[in-house]
Amino acid sequence: MRLRLVPDETHWDFMKWRHWTFGASVIAMVASLIIWAVMGLNFGIDFLGGTTIRTESTQAVDVGAYRAALDPLALGDVTITEVFDPTFGPDENVAQIRIQAQEGAESVTPETIAAVEAALQQVDPSLTFPSVESVGPKVSGELIMTALIAVGASLAAILFYIWLRFEWQFSVGAIAALIHDVVLTVGVFSLLQIRFDLATIAAILTIIGYSINDTVVIFDRLRENLIKFKKTPLIEVMNRSVNETLSRTLMTSGTTILALVALIALGGDVIRGFVFAILWGVVVGTYSSVYVAKNVVLMLGVERDPKKPSDAGTQFADIDA
């Protein structure tokens, strides 16, 4: 016995709504860029510089009392948020205090951190400080540049690989799908004001890897079918290829989503932003593999000459992955 999410043979017309889906993708990307420009991103300490102090207490968090205790220290921009998590017990009350980088200093000094902890413990003697993270302004600027280089380099490497493995039209389609996934991920983080830090960059790189894997699987089947069905219209070959890989796509995405949902529910607030980014990326990555990458290839067309030998239809068909 084996699990079947879809029948062994399906004949769904995925490309029937290609104009609507591609238009919706373009609108979603434009909306994401506008939201990003207007609302900005909720950058973490990694990118802003400063210090994050995590507190835990058996008593309820009193944000007003915490802020009143820190005001005399003149620390500048201080953000205090209570952390909610369904896994916390009734006596687990967690808060996160973010202190901006001090002018003229690489980071908040140990003396200042000690003063903050002492002031907070006057409000609640049961407070503990399980983690303190500090990043200087210079380091945070370098991290932003390194993150951009990492994302750009990964896209460039994938562009070259897909061009080498298939044809340039496939390469453009794959990169269009990846840009779609990254822009929509940044847009949803901006809209929901979820903390954007180095863990999110790691999640975006993971999304890129997952999305291109799904795209390459369908492209590989498309290439095989282009060789087999040389006189069949390209759009029909695309539909056949998506249908033939549908079971694999749903099984891979479904099992990944199950694991990610469990992590969101039970993994705690520390990794929730990272897991949410990957979960969102799996969904949009699966969608873009069909309705962005394939749409671009269909619009650009693929050179198909029935008189050519059976290895036609790709520039480097004999290169093993």
Side-chain angles (χ1 to χ4, degrees), residues 1 10 29 78 91 105 166 194 207 226 229 239 295 302 309 319:
M1 293 181 64
T10 58
M29 289 178 66
V78 177
D91 57 346
F166 300 97
I194 302 172
I207 291 168
L226 284 172
F229 307 100
N239 265 323
N295 266 332
V302 178
I319 296 178

Side-chain angles (χ1 to χ4, degrees), residues 48 135 147 200 219 228 263 312:
L48 288 179
V135 178
T200 310
F219 274 174
K228 279 198 223 166
L263 282 174

Side-chain angles (χ1 to χ4, degrees), residues 7-14 236 239-240 242-244 246:
D8 287 336
E9 289 189 19
T10 58
H11 303 280
W12 295 336
D13 189 357
F14 287 95
E236 293 183 20
N239 265 323
R240 173 186 289 270
V242 177
N243 276 284
E244 289 176 352
L246 183 60

Side-chain angles (χ1 to χ4, degrees), residues 138-158:
K138 183 178 179 181
V139 174
S140 64
E142 293 174 353
L143 289 175
I144 292 175
M145 185 56 64
T146 303
L148 292 174
I149 291 173
V151 175
S154 65
L155 291 175
I158 289 169

Side-chain angles (χ1 to χ4, degrees), residues 222 226 232-239 297-299 301-302 304:
L222 175 60
L226 284 172
T232 305
L234 179 58
I235 189 170
E236 293 183 20
V237 178
M238 284 187 169
N239 265 323
V297 174
L298 185 62
M299 286 188 290
V302 178
R304 304 171 67 196

Side-chain angles (χ1 to χ4, degrees), residues 69-145:
L70 297 180
D71 281 344
L73 300 179
L75 298 173
D77 184 19
V78 177
T79 304
I80 304 172
T81 55
E82 184 175 359
V83 178
F84 297 96
D85 194 291
T87 62
F88 290 164
D91 57 346
E92 282 186 278
N93 299 285
V94 179
Q96 184 172 274
I97 300 167
R98 210 184 312 182
I99 306 170
Q100 71 174 21
Q102 304 299 295
E103 188 174 352
E106 281 300 307
S107 62
V108 178
T109 63
E111 292 78 12
T112 301
I113 294 173
V116 168
E117 293 177 353
L120 292 173
Q121 283 182 324
Q122 298 230 342
V123 176
D124 182 358
S126 67
L127 270 179
T128 59
F129 306 93
S131 68
V132 177
E133 300 175 2
S134 294
V135 178
K138 183 178 179 181
V139 174
S140 64
E142 293 174 353
L143 289 175
I144 292 175
M145 185 56 64

Side-chain angles (χ1 to χ4, degrees), residues 85-87 253-272 274-276 278-279:
D85 194 291
T87 62
S253 300
T255 52
T256 305
I257 288 172
L258 282 176
L260 292 172
V261 168
L263 282 174
I264 280 190
L266 305 173
D269 67 285
V270 175
I271 64 169
R272 185 159 289 128
F274 172 78
V275 177
F276 173 79
I278 298 180
L279 177 60

